[in-house]
Amino acid sequence: MRVGVLTGGGDCPGLNAVIRSVVRKGVDAYGFDFVGLRDGWLGLLRDVVLPLDIARVRGILPRGGTILGSSRTNPFTHEDGLRRVQDTLAAHDVDALVVIGGEDTLGVATELSRQGIPLVGVPKTIDNDVAGTDYTFGFDTAVGIATEAIDRLHTTAESHMRALVVEVMGRHSGWIALHAGVAGGGNVILVPERPFDIDQVCEQVKNRFRINYAPIVVVAEGAAPKEGQVVLKDRSLDEFGHVRLSGVGEWLAREISERTGKDARTTVLGHVQRGGTPSAFDRWLATRFGLHAIDAVKDGDFGVMVALQGTRIVRVPLAEATASTKLVDPSLYDEFEVFFG
């Protein structure tokens, strides 16, 4: 059996661990042959396929990024996209796919599965917003990076007695903002699930200054004020129709300065959250996902996604996993309100 492996969407720590795990078990346990598809779905559209064997995956466990490359490509927005995907698979005798990606990549996988292409999904995203799984790999590393940044910013904020706004990733969900904000001792945490009141934010900031404490505001890139739209610097769209978010951190710092009379600065963590070596947990989770994904291929159980539920790896239907975005539960956010302001 020949299995194709691809990584789509934004890069994230742990992708290489999945690739390594899939290939190691697929070759050693089942005698499968593997090929890698370059740059996600783009490789299938352009027929860019490379051999993938144990020698090629040796030593990649701790490496960030992906040896296969990635892209935010949606084959269904390209002319004859489905046919081109099918032709590439047929030309290289690929019997099944292991698709590693987030909501968009897995959304494409869901539709391709409906079109009869045998595949298994592996959930990846630093945003932790894929439904059906308690955690996605990449999230733990991103939270650790953001938490360390917040820890460092506390000292410079206190030295200058200024408010610091830390903008983290999170288009539709505030998992990184909430986890890193709580772990880093943020005084205000703003998430996309709950539109914020800028007056209340400024009052919370002033409360911290009153006790001679420099406040840290942690905001997800997709958070929005109650009275307006998401604040954007760039309104261009990617192939999945998503706006490239940025700008809410700068807007918040400007509003805080004008409304409180205190100096406020912004730090946008951006892609640094995606980079570097994966945490121990992400290596562990990515490895388990890979092992169970290739088991599903061996079983012929296609159209599913491997998922972490509790401590168990289970299989859930791709259609179910991609039907909605996993958002922060309001009750979870409310647990931490005692620390705000």
Side-chain angles (χ1 to χ4, degrees), residues 4-268:
V5 183
L6 68 84
T7 54
D11 65 299
C12 96
L15 286 167
N16 285 324
V18 181
I19 297 168
R20 168 182 176 269
S21 179
V22 165
V23 173
R24 283 286 301 273
K25 184 166 188 178
V27 172
D28 288 343
Y30 303 131
F32 289 168
D33 184 29
F34 288 89
V35 293
L37 307 167
R38 281 291 309 179
D39 302 326
W41 299 118
L42 191 62
L44 281 168
L45 291 176
R46 295 182 175 177
D47 192 8
V48 184
V49 179
L50 51 88
L52 196 58
D53 55 21
I54 288 180
R56 187 167 177 81
V57 302
R58 188 171 291 124
I60 67 172
L61 175 65
R63 285 174 55 183
T66 164
I67 63 169
L68 296 178
S70 190
S71 68
R72 296 187 185 277
T73 301
N74 182 352
F76 292 105
T77 64
H78 293 253
E79 185 176 358
D80 293 329
L82 175 60
R83 178 189 59 77
R84 291 160 66 185
V85 167
Q86 293 170 328
D87 287 350
T88 300
L89 293 175
H92 296 275
D93 298 320
V94 176
D95 301 299
L97 289 176
V98 173
V99 178
I100 311 166
E103 57 175 339
D104 293 325
T105 301
L106 294 178
V108 170
T110 302
E111 183 56 34
L112 289 176
S113 178
R114 293 191 183 109
Q115 298 296 330
I117 294 178
L119 54 82
V120 173
V122 177
K124 160 280 343 171
T125 171
I126 66 169
D127 292 335
N128 197 41
D129 60 358
V130 175
T133 184
D134 292 346
Y135 288 99
T136 55
F137 69 88
F139 173 67
D140 184 71
T141 305
V143 168
I145 292 168
T147 300
E148 181 180 359
I150 294 167
D151 286 346
R152 292 175 180 275
L153 290 169
H154 271 293
T155 58
T156 188
E158 292 164 5
S159 297
H160 297 275
M161 283 308 293
R162 62 165 58 116
L164 286 183
V165 177
V166 186
E167 182 183 312
V168 300
M169 285 185 167
R171 178 189 303 277
H172 301 300
S173 61
W175 293 105
I176 294 176
L178 183 61
H179 280 243
V182 170
N187 311 116
V188 181
I189 301 173
L190 306 176
V191 296
E193 292 87 344
R194 182 168 295 187
F196 60 87
D197 183 336
I198 186 61
D199 291 327
Q200 181 182 33
V201 170
C202 290
E203 189 59 35
Q204 290 171 325
V205 167
K206 288 190 286 187
N207 286 342
R208 304 306 288 181
F209 278 121
R210 288 190 188 106
I211 60 173
N212 202 36
Y213 190 88
I216 299 288
V217 178
V218 181
V219 57
E221 61 186 344
K226 286 182 177 179
E227 63 271 23
Q229 299 293 314
V230 175
V231 183
L232 306 171
K233 289 194 299 185
D234 180 356
R235 293 185 177 274
S236 60
L237 304 178
D238 64 19
E239 291 191 14
F240 293 93
H242 298 315
V243 173
R244 294 178 172 86
L245 296 178
S246 64
V248 66
E250 293 180 8
W251 180 82
L252 268 171
R254 185 168 62 250
E255 290 293 317
I256 289 170
S257 291
E258 292 176 357
R259 292 167 180 254
T260 67
K262 299 291 187 179
D263 187 23
R265 304 291 179 87
T266 307
T267 297
V268 180

